[in-house]
């Protein structure tokens, strides 16, 4: 598949996600925010943002070359990041176990929660591999993780 075809498929996938989840929470910004590749997207080829507050957004980032979708939270607020880190420490488990507990998952999550700082943003996300962006299984997995991150983190987004 050419890079152009991959980006086209990624745009179609993100359109599906926006239409599927645009009314997911009352805080949703009615404006669809798509970021093309650049410094502020931490190497995603294209990213869809679901802004919660000025400095925090849930996101789906597609990396065409590596065949992964990143789903999670990005924030430029250090206090939000530290608050989430403290909640994980207080839970006594790993970041992934924290996510499982908060989203009340019946089973262990297949893809771990990853946390790091890059390009001025703090990330809490999972990377879900894909071969076909049109796969119903992929859509279900991404949806489960998206909703899980929202359940786990939306109440922790007010920094000091």
């Amino acid at each position: 598949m050419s890079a152009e075809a991959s980006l086209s498929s990624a745009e179609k996938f993100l359109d599906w996600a926006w239409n599927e989840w645009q009314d997911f929470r009352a805080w949703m910004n009615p404006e669809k925010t798509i970021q093309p590749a650049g410094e502020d997207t931490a190497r995603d080829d294209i990213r869809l943002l679901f802004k919660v507050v000025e400095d925090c957004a849930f996101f789906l980032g597609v990396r065409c070359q590596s065949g992964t979708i990143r789903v999670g939270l990005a924030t430029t607020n250090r206090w939000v990041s530290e608050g989430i880190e403290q909640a994980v420490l207080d839970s006594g488990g790993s970041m992934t176990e924290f996510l499982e507990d908060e989203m009340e998952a019946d089973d262990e999550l297949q893809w771990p929660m990853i946390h790091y700082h890059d390009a001025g943003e703090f990330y809490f996300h999972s990377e879900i591999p894909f071969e076909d962006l049109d796969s119903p299984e992929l859509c279900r997995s991404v949806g489960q993780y998206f909703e899980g991150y929202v359940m786990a983190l939306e109440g922790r987004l007010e920094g000091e």
Side-chain angles (χ1 to χ4, degrees), residues 69-99:
I69 295 173
R70 296 185 327 136
V71 56
L73 176 79
T75 181
T76 56
N77 188 320
R78 178 176 60 114
W79 301 112
V80 167
S81 178
E82 289 180 3
I84 294 169
E85 291 171 24
Q86 188 61 52
V88 171
L89 288 173
D90 292 345
S91 75
S94 70
M95 290 199 150
T96 304
E97 290 167 334
F98 168 78
L99 182 60

Side-chain angles (χ1 to χ4, degrees), residues 24-25 27 52 58 149-158:
F24 187 67
R25 289 290 196 260
W27 45 255
V52 182
F58 292 100
Y149 273 94
V150 171
M151 288 171 57
L153 303 179
E154 74 177 331
R156 295 178 166 85
L157 301 182
E158 295 298 324

Side-chain angles (χ1 to χ4, degrees), residues 111-132:
W111 298 287
M113 177 192 266
I114 301 166
H115 171 53
Y116 63 92
H117 179 257
D118 186 32
E121 290 185 304
F122 299 91
Y123 288 92
F124 297 87
H125 74 277
S126 297
E127 295 184 3
I128 301 173
F130 70 86
E131 290 183 22
D132 178 8

Side-chain angles (χ1 to χ4, degrees), residues 18-81:
W18 176 257
N19 292 328
E20 186 75 15
W21 302 322
Q22 69 181 351
D23 297 324
F24 187 67
R25 289 290 196 260
W27 45 255
M28 290 292 297
N29 181 335
E31 298 293 322
K32 182 176 168 185
T33 304
I34 296 281
Q35 290 181 320
E39 257 185 55
D40 56 351
T41 62
R43 294 175 294 284
D44 291 333
D45 292 314
I46 188 167
R47 183 189 286 178
L48 173 62
L49 299 176
F50 297 85
K51 288 223 177 219
V52 182
V53 293
E54 181 63 30
D55 54 7
C56 299
F58 292 100
F59 74 95
L60 296 176
V62 180
R63 293 180 170 183
C64 299
Q65 292 290 348
S66 65
T68 56
I69 295 173
R70 296 185 327 136
V71 56
L73 176 79
T75 181
T76 56
N77 188 320
R78 178 176 60 114
W79 301 112
V80 167
S81 178

